[in-house]
Structure formats: structure tokens, C-alpha cells
Amino acid sequence: MGYPRALLIGSAQILALLAGISRDGVAMVAGMARGLSREDAARFAFLLATPVILAAGVLKVPDLAGPLGAGIRGQILFGSVLSGVGAYLSVRFLLRYLRTRTLTPFGVYCLIVGLGSVAFLGLVR
């Protein structure tokens, strides 16, 4: 994939600033619109997230190494390892799932939950 196509797919994530739009979802749709397979579009979307997640973690290290982390460093380490394993297994499952299936169930889920949220928030007022 060339830089222009990668830049276009990455730039599509701007749409995630709108309420209810998934950053990974919009990157996958943009990737598939630019000719990537479902699996490659998902892999690219997840790879786009890696530098941001890593940078956010690095920014928190000084806080956790200082007084804010006193007494909870073990729990933080354990939780970080578990979340890393969970993320790896989730991405692995999704990539295998996308080899033979579509994201239609996820789209239906998003529509139902989105409409339910709009209805609920409309009733709460």
C-alpha cells in the first residue's frame, strides 16, 4: 500500500469525532473502500491504533512511578498484562472471523444500540 492510500485511510478516522462512530470501524470501511480485504483493513486499523495507545501508556508512566502509584503498582502491572492479553486475543479472534464472515452483525448491533441510546436519552429529558 502506498503512502497516499494509507494517509487517506488514516485520515478517515477523523469521522470518529462524530458521536457514535467507531475509529476502528471507520478505518476498516475506508480500507475496504480503497480495495483492501476485510482482514487487511482490520489489521491496518488496529496497527494505526498501536502508536497512540503506546504513547498514552508512556505518558502515564511518570504518574504511576510517583506518589499516585503508591500501593497499587502490582495491581496496575497485573491489569496491564491482562488487558494486553485480552486485546491480543480479541484482535486475533476478529481477524480470523473476518477471513470468512462480514461485519454485518456488528453493523446491526450498532444500529440497534444507537437507536436504543437515542430513544433512552430522549426519554430521560
Side-chain angles (χ1 to χ4, degrees):
M1 167 184 339
Y3 286 112
R5 186 162 58 158
L7 184 63
L8 183 66
I9 295 168
S11 297
Q13 295 180 94
I14 293 169
L15 294 173
L17 292 173
L18 301 172
I21 296 181
S22 162
R23 185 196 52 77
D24 280 332
V26 77
M28 283 189 265
V29 169
M32 289 186 293
R34 300 303 304 160
L36 295 178
S37 69
R38 288 187 304 262
E39 186 179 0
D40 288 340
R43 182 175 284 115
F44 188 71
F46 293 131
L47 287 174
L48 282 173
T50 303
V52 175
I53 294 169
L54 182 62
V58 168
L59 284 174
K60 282 297 178 186
V61 168
D63 290 341
L64 299 174
L68 292 176
I72 60 169
R73 289 187 186 94
Q75 294 94 323
I76 292 169
L77 181 61
F78 184 67
S80 296
V81 169
L82 284 182
S83 71
V85 169
Y88 170 77
L89 293 174
S90 297
V91 170
R92 186 174 167 188
F93 167 78
L94 183 62
L95 291 176
R96 283 188 178 178
Y97 178 87
L98 290 176
R99 285 184 190 147
T100 59
R101 297 179 189 98
T102 68
L103 287 173
T104 301
F106 179 67
V108 170
Y109 160 79
C110 287
L111 285 172
I112 291 170
V113 171
L115 291 172
S117 297
V118 168
F120 175 74
L121 293 173
L123 294 174
V124 172
R125 284 186 174 187

